[in-house]
Amino acid sequence: MCYFSPNFILLLLLIQAFLANCCIEHERDALLEFKAGVNDKSRRLASWRGEKCCNWAGIRCNNRTSRVVKLNLRNTNVEPIYYDEGTFNYWKYHPGLTGKISPSLLFLSDLKHLDLSFNNFSGNKFPEFISALRNLKYLNLSNTALSGMIHPQLGNLSKLLYFDLRQDYYFSDLYFDLRQDYYFSGFILSVDTWWLSNMRSLKYIDMSGVDFKDSNNWVQSLNKLSSLEVLVLSDNNLTQIPNTLTLVNFTSLRVLHLSDQNFNTTIPNWMGSLHGLNVLILESCNLVGPYPATLGNLTNLVQLNLIGNNLNGIIPTDIGNLKKLVQLDLSGNNLNGTIPTNIGNLTNLVKLDLSYNSLTGLLSETHLTGLSKLKFLGLAHANITILFGSECNPSFQLNTIWLWSNKLGPKFPSWIQRQVQIEDLDLTDTRIDDCIPNWVWSLSSLRFLWLSTNMLRGKLPASLVHMTKLEIMDLSNNRLVGKMPFLPTSLLDLYLSNNSLSGQLRKHYKSPYKNKLIVSNNHTVEVVELFPCGLTSLYVLDLSSNSLSGHLPPCWSNISGVVNLANNRLSGVVPRSMSCSVELQVVSLENNSLTGEFPFDLQFCKGLQLLDLGENNFHGIIPDWVGESFPYMAFLILRSNLFSGNIPSKLTQLNNLQVLDLANNYLSGQLPRGLDNFTWMSNQLSSSLLASYSSESIIAVTKGLKLEYDDILFLWKSMDLSNNNLIGEIPREIVVLAGLLNLNLSNNHLIGNIPLEIGNMTSLESLDFHMNNLSGTIPQSISALYSLEKLNFSYNNLSGSIPTGYQLQALDDPSIYSGNPYLCGPPLETSCGSSGRFPHNNGNNDSNSKNTGDRDKWLYLFIEFGFVAGFLLVFFILLFKVKWRYTYFQMVDTVFDRLYVLMLNPKLKC
């Protein structure tokens, strides 16, 4: 037996420590070359200097060989962004590495761990050289914005255990003034996926966002990986999944996560053979058919998620066999029948979500008796009756209750009072006809309170400042009365619309509103002076329909989304000192008494998508910069003001415009050329702009009615230039706007013919040209407008036969064509005869309107009067002035003598 002295052991440790801090020279050079190819705004690589590269950030070396075995440069400075409801939206990127991934990393021949995730290498292709790093066991290139083809050579990484290429397509770059979302094409997998089966050591695969294109054998390839434990595939363009497998080989699977695919098939039978599964997620895969009985074999399941498919059929009673389940989510399907009572056997259940189905029957306390661990109860839009007795005392303590759009009332459910840990309570549209009990305001854990669209009545407490965790409160669409309460400083979103509240909205010194403040359509809610100026980080301010009076505050720079003050009694001018956030997207000041010229400072609101200044007293011209300052403008509404001058030709630069409403002004001149530049009006696609602003609405006059568009605002496409003083002809390029639903040019002075290709505007539901000077025939192509519900050509000078067609036959009101004396045919009583009716002017109809004829009659009358008056004047002068008479007749004799001589001898010169 050998013995080593303590000094010798100490020497070995010193040598090992020294070697650990050293690194191979060519590997250090390779790392420095990598550093030179990237931009490091976060200074992650600041320590990469000197000779001891094993001490550099993100580097780990083998203690014995001093070779680099780990390179971990994952950008940890990211954060997830969520919707209000807590659903993941996208990652927000803070500074990380950008630039290129240098192939110099090939010199790190012993590299086992490579992690470059959450850095931004946008514009670069997948680094093919990685397939040569044969010792890799861990590879993570997730969310790196790389793109391009993944080649089969990657199958050479036979030692790989962890493989993550996940690409979440949306991220935010904070280096831009406006938040910009980038969409990149991501990775593309070759059609043949056989090479995946060569990576036989794999235990973990996440290839979400990788385009599998037409790969139909992906299951067969992955089935050869007997060691595979975790498989995550989301949004891969997959359309094929086999229903059966001859031999199920990947029985080591513990997690199977497939989401956002388009299989259009039933849940495969072979999944029932994966007895070791702990997690099965088949979310939004377009799966159809009944809930499969084979899933009852997966008794080791801890999580079962089938959300967002088209499954039908009843929930089987053997669901109660899955006694290890902690999460059960069957929401967003077409499941029917009643909820099985043995769901109460799932004693480990923490989350139960059956929302958005077509269930029947009722849910009583009997169903949930054994669920003592339950924290999440989701039954939203489940179409059931929820019946808990007034003395019910559940064994569970919920923190989330989603019961909206079920039958729960008429009494406010008293059993909720005992849920002292409740954080999210949603009883929207549950037919409650009652007062809000005082104990609701004592639920100190509440973060989200949704009680809208019921028949709640009574008053709110004078103060809610004690609810220090409350972030969102929605009491809209009820019958609440009384004063506005003092609100907690934690509040982010407040919805109180459509009640009868009054009093003042006060700004707390800690700025209680940070996201959305929507208090529209109440009784007489007042706003203290300069109220918006003190708000911080407000996204939506909606105080519309509240009888607000006074002048506008001078500042809106803290509001980054929506300002809606429509339907109030505001007066005065829009202040020139008003600062405007470049992120502001909606400004609605419609139906007030505001005056002045077009607000100058609005030109700095570069992000505006909707501007509604309608029904005010603005005057002056519409400035040219309106067409240049708003690249995202979709809705421009200036109706019912005092604007004059021409319609600026630069308005046609607003190619995202889908609603242009300039009606009821004093605009003159011709319609601008270039109307075909309105790209969104030219197609029949719905715009993604404003789709998220469910509280925003506009008033539009169409089909002879004044309608409000809110939830479908982004679908509405209209051009209304009626009731102005426009002249000239209708530009023929207007027929390109095939996406328009409403076109109104009535009550102007337009002349010429209706464009022959008017039938190309196939989306039109309302077409109004009445009270103009249009002439010629009505084009036969109008019969192709199958969606037409409202038509008005009255009081023009149109002639000829009225076209016939399927939809035109339904529009049989003669008033549509009245005031056109030369029109004939049904629905008019005037018969066309054999050749139709035309004005008697040899077919020239361009200037023969009724008004033109009247003007001609007066013109001839004045000419005749002038001739007679002149003749009588000369006659009376010659009658009473003898000398003038003598001179006049002498001159006449002289002229006649000269003409006579000239006729006798034409060669003579006068």
Side-chain angles (χ1 to χ4, degrees):
M1 181 176 293
C2 297
Y3 294 94
F4 299 99
S5 67
N7 292 335
F8 181 74
I9 294 175
L10 180 61
L11 179 62
L12 288 177
L13 292 174
L14 290 173
I15 294 174
Q16 185 176 17
F18 174 78
L19 291 174
N21 289 328
C22 295
C23 66
I24 309 300
E25 182 178 359
H26 71 271
E27 292 189 345
R28 180 175 63 247
D29 294 340
L31 291 171
L32 290 174
E33 188 174 340
F34 170 85
K35 178 183 178 181
V38 298
N39 299 316
D40 181 22
K41 294 182 180 179
S42 61
R43 295 187 57 80
R44 290 285 308 281
L45 308 182
S47 63
W48 285 31
R49 58 179 183 269
E51 296 185 354
K52 298 181 179 180
C53 67
C54 293
N55 289 338
W56 294 352
I59 304 297
R60 180 180 173 185
C61 297
N62 184 296
N63 291 336
R64 184 174 57 84
T65 64
S66 295
R67 291 188 176 275
V68 176
V69 293
K70 183 175 183 178
L71 176 57
N72 182 3
L73 297 178
R74 177 187 179 93
N75 179 15
T76 58
N77 198 14
V78 296
E79 59 179 308
I81 302 301
Y82 296 94
Y83 293 114
D84 288 343
E85 294 81 3
T87 305
F88 172 75
N89 187 2
Y90 57 85
W91 292 99
K92 180 181 286 187
Y93 278 48
H94 292 274
L97 300 178
T98 60
K100 296 182 179 181
I101 302 175
S102 173
S104 64
L105 297 182
L106 270 173
F107 290 100
L108 308 180
S109 56
D110 281 10
L111 193 65
K112 293 180 174 60
H113 184 114
L114 176 60
D115 189 344
L116 300 176
S117 58
F118 286 95
N119 290 290
N120 185 0
F121 298 111
S122 178
N124 290 282
K125 301 297 183 183
F126 181 85
E128 295 183 32
F129 70 85
I130 287 180
S131 60
L133 297 173
R134 301 293 184 89
N135 289 310
L136 272 183
K137 293 184 177 181
Y138 182 103
L139 176 60
N140 191 343
L141 297 178
S142 63
N143 293 295
T144 51
L146 290 164
S147 60
M149 185 71 72
I150 300 175
H151 293 281
Q153 287 84 353
L154 205 61
N156 296 333
L157 303 179
S158 58
K159 298 180 181 180
L160 203 62
L161 302 175
Y162 185 101
F163 185 36
D164 192 346
L165 295 184
R166 182 182 187 90
Q167 301 296 305
D168 293 309
Y169 290 141
Y170 291 93
F171 65 93
S172 177
D173 190 333
L174 299 184
Y175 291 109
F176 290 81
D177 292 334
L178 290 174
R179 196 196 81 200
Q180 299 186 21
D181 292 329
Y182 292 86
Y183 180 85
F184 45 89
S185 58
F187 297 139
I188 300 176
L189 198 64
S190 61
V191 174
D192 196 345
T193 56
W194 60 267
W195 57 270
L196 284 169
S197 60
N198 292 342
M199 305 165 80
R200 295 185 180 275
S201 300
L202 274 176
K203 293 182 178 295
Y204 181 102
I205 297 179
D206 189 344
M207 298 179 71
S208 299
V210 176
D211 189 354
F212 275 58
K213 296 182 71 176
D214 298 318
S215 302
N216 297 328
N217 61 340
W218 62 277
V219 174
Q220 290 83 349
S221 298
L222 292 171
N223 187 37
K224 297 179 181 179
L225 304 178
S226 58
S227 299
L228 193 62
E229 297 179 2
V230 177
L231 173 61
V232 182
L233 296 176
S234 175
D235 196 13
N236 302 102
N237 242 349
L238 291 172
T239 58
Q240 301 289 330
I241 185 169
N243 187 48
T244 59
L245 290 174
T246 305
L247 176 65
V248 179
N249 191 46
F250 47 12
T251 54
S252 297
L253 272 179
R254 297 292 179 266
V255 175
L256 176 58
H257 181 162
L258 303 176
S259 61
D260 297 299
Q261 313 294 351
N262 190 24
F263 293 134
N264 194 28
T265 186
T266 58
I267 295 178
N269 288 330
W270 54 263
M271 289 187 181
S273 303
L274 303 175
H275 300 293
L277 271 185
N278 301 130
V279 176
L280 176 59
I281 299 175
L282 302 174
E283 182 175 338
S284 301
C285 289
N286 195 22
L287 295 168
V288 298
Y291 182 100
T294 54
L295 295 186
N297 300 330
L298 306 180
T299 55
N300 286 309
L301 278 182
V302 174
Q303 179 181 356
L304 176 59
N305 180 346
L306 304 179
I307 182 174
N309 287 288
N310 292 305
L311 300 175
N312 53 58
I314 63 172
I315 302 173
T317 56
D318 61 4
I319 193 83
N321 298 336
L322 307 181
K323 295 185 178 181
K324 294 184 179 180
L325 272 183
V326 174
Q327 295 187 34
L328 175 60
D329 195 337
L330 306 180
S331 62
N333 283 283
N334 294 314
L335 297 172
N336 51 59
T338 59
I339 300 173
T341 55
N342 67 348
I343 206 166
N345 296 342
L346 307 179
T347 54
N348 289 301
L349 207 60
V350 173
K351 177 179 180 179
L352 172 62
D353 196 349
L354 305 178
S355 302
Y356 293 96
N357 279 289
S358 301
L359 302 171
T360 57
L362 57 84
L363 178 82
S364 68
E365 51 198 280
T366 306
H367 289 79
L368 308 179
T369 300
L371 307 184
S372 59
K373 297 180 180 179
L374 196 65
K375 296 293 183 184
F376 184 110
L377 177 61
L379 295 170
H381 290 274
N383 195 33
I384 60 175
T385 298
I386 300 170
L387 184 61
F388 284 15
S390 58
E391 301 301 322
C392 175
N393 189 12
S395 59
F396 46 72
Q397 279 293 321
L398 299 173
N399 55 34
T400 300
I401 302 176
W402 291 353
L403 302 180
W404 75 81
S405 292
N406 289 290
K407 185 177 180 181
L408 183 62
K411 294 297 183 180
F412 204 100
S414 59
W415 61 271
I416 295 178
Q417 181 179 4
R418 302 173 183 88
Q419 304 298 305
V420 295
Q421 299 177 9
I422 189 70
E423 296 180 2
D424 189 347
L425 175 61
D426 196 331
L427 305 181
T428 300
D429 189 21
T430 50
R431 308 184 192 181
I432 299 176
D433 185 357
D434 199 357
C435 293
I436 303 176
N438 289 331
W439 55 258
V440 170
W441 313 117
S442 301
L443 298 174
S444 58
S445 298
L446 268 181
R447 295 177 57 213
F448 311 109
L449 177 62
W450 317 84
L451 300 177
S452 71
T453 319
N454 283 290
M455 290 172 280
L456 295 170
R457 54 189 187 273
K459 297 181 179 181
L460 297 176
S463 176
L464 298 176
V465 295
H466 60 281
M467 302 184 73
T468 56
K469 295 183 180 179
L470 191 63
E471 298 178 14
I472 298 176
M473 183 168 70
D474 187 354
L475 305 179
S476 58
N477 303 308
N478 280 292
R479 300 173 180 177
L480 300 173
V481 297
K483 299 291 185 180
M484 291 287 299
F486 284 96
L487 298 164
T489 59
S490 58
L491 201 64
L492 301 178
D493 295 356
L494 176 63
Y495 305 86
L496 293 176
S497 300
N498 300 311
N499 283 286
S500 297
L501 297 168
S502 60
Q504 288 190 340
L505 278 169
R506 291 180 171 87
K507 176 208 170 286
H508 193 276
Y509 71 97
K510 290 187 178 179
S511 301
Y513 320 112
K514 297 183 176 67
N515 288 340
K516 297 178 183 178
L517 176 57
I518 302 177
V519 195
S520 61
N521 197 22
N522 272 276
H523 190 238
T524 53
V525 172
E526 301 173 8
V527 179
V528 296
E529 186 178 2
L530 302 183
F531 171 74
C533 297
L535 297 175
T536 59
S537 305
L538 193 64
Y539 182 64
V540 175
L541 175 64
D542 186 349
L543 302 177
S544 59
S545 303
N546 271 308
S547 301
L548 297 178
S549 59
H551 292 184
L552 287 172
C555 48
W556 304 99
S557 60
N558 294 327
I559 305 175
S560 59
V562 176
V563 174
N564 188 351
L565 299 176
N567 304 309
N568 282 293
R569 300 175 183 174
L570 298 170
S571 59
V573 300
V574 177
R576 289 294 300 267
S577 60
M578 182 186 79
S579 54
C580 180
S581 167
V582 294
E583 294 181 338
L584 192 63
Q585 296 166 328
V586 172
V587 172
S588 181
L589 302 176
E590 182 241 350
N591 193 21
N592 280 283
S593 299
L594 299 170
T595 60
E597 296 185 342
F598 197 100
F600 176 81
D601 281 0
L602 285 178
Q603 65 181 304
F604 304 112
C605 305
K606 301 295 184 182
L608 270 185
Q609 298 178 23
L610 186 152
L611 175 61
D612 190 348
L613 303 180
E615 301 189 38
N616 281 285
N617 296 311
F618 292 108
H619 62 266
I621 64 169
I622 301 174
D624 282 344
W625 53 257
V626 173
E628 301 172 323
S629 299
F630 308 123
Y632 309 107
M633 183 67 73
F635 302 85
L636 179 60
I637 303 166
L638 307 178
R639 67 177 296 113
S640 302
N641 278 285
L642 305 174
F643 288 116
S644 57
N646 294 343
I647 299 175
S649 60
K650 291 185 178 180
L651 280 189
T652 59
Q653 297 180 20
L654 302 175
N655 53 17
N656 285 311
L657 204 63
Q658 61 187 67
V659 170
L660 175 63
D661 191 344
L662 308 180
N664 303 329
N665 281 286
Y666 295 91
L667 299 171
S668 57
Q670 298 186 355
L671 273 70
R673 298 291 175 177
L675 296 178
D676 50 343
N677 291 334
F678 292 139
T679 307
W680 274 107
M681 293 185 187
S682 300
N683 61 58
Q684 298 178 349
L685 301 175
S686 61
S687 172
S688 61
L689 300 174
L690 294 178
S692 61
Y693 301 133
S694 59
S695 66
E696 190 53 44
S697 64
I698 61 172
I699 299 296
V701 177
T702 179
K703 306 175 189 176
L705 301 173
K706 192 173 184 180
L707 304 176
E708 183 175 2
Y709 290 83
D710 42 29
D711 293 340
I712 58 170
L713 175 62
F714 62 98
L715 300 174
W716 180 241
K717 297 184 180 182
S718 170
M719 181 184 291
D720 191 344
L721 308 180
S722 61
N723 297 305
N724 281 287
N725 296 313
L726 301 174
I727 61 173
E729 298 186 349
I730 300 174
R732 296 199 176 276
E733 64 262 26
I734 203 170
V735 301
V736 175
L737 308 181
L740 279 183
L741 302 177
N742 175 57
L743 176 59
N744 192 344
L745 303 178
S746 65
N747 280 290
N748 283 288
H749 306 292
L750 300 174
I751 62 172
N753 297 336
I754 297 173
L756 290 175
E757 303 85 0
I758 192 77
N760 294 347
M761 305 179 74
T762 53
S763 298
L764 277 179
E765 298 176 1
S766 178
L767 177 62
D768 194 344
F769 287 166
H770 86 276
M771 292 294 290
N772 279 287
N773 297 321
L774 299 173
S775 57
T777 59
I778 299 175
Q780 180 62 38
S781 68
I782 199 172
S783 61
L785 302 180
Y786 296 112
S787 300
L788 203 60
E789 298 177 11
K790 173 71 175 180
L791 177 65
N792 196 343
F793 285 157
S794 62
Y795 297 100
N796 282 283
N797 196 38
L798 300 170
S799 58
S801 302
I802 296 174
T804 59
Y806 173 76
Q807 186 63 18
L808 290 180
Q809 301 301 110
L811 301 173
D812 56 358
D813 182 359
S815 66
I816 292 174
Y817 307 101
S818 63
N820 292 278
Y822 298 106
L823 280 179
C824 60
L828 298 178
E829 295 180 355
T830 308
S831 174
C832 292
S834 59
S835 59
R837 288 167 55 88
F838 296 94
H840 302 292
N841 59 356
N842 298 324
N844 184 8
N845 296 314
D846 289 343
S847 60
N848 285 317
S849 68
K850 177 176 65 176
N851 294 339
T852 303
D854 291 340
R855 288 196 299 267
D856 290 344
K857 291 179 181 178
W858 284 103
L859 177 63
Y860 295 145
L861 183 61
F862 278 113
I863 291 174
E864 292 172 1
F865 177 80
F867 177 81
V868 172
F871 177 82
L872 291 176
L873 178 64
V874 173
F875 173 81
F876 283 109
I877 289 175
L878 295 180
L879 181 64
F880 295 103
K881 292 287 186 179
V882 177
K883 186 178 294 186
W884 286 25
R885 184 170 66 243
Y886 174 81
T887 303
Y888 173 78
F889 284 112
Q890 187 178 35
M891 180 184 66
V892 171
D893 288 342
T894 301
V895 171
F896 270 102
D897 289 340
R898 289 183 178 180
L899 290 175
Y900 179 76
V901 172
L902 184 61
M903 291 173 61
L904 293 177
N905 193 353
K907 294 183 179 180
L908 292 177
K909 296 182 178 179
C910 294

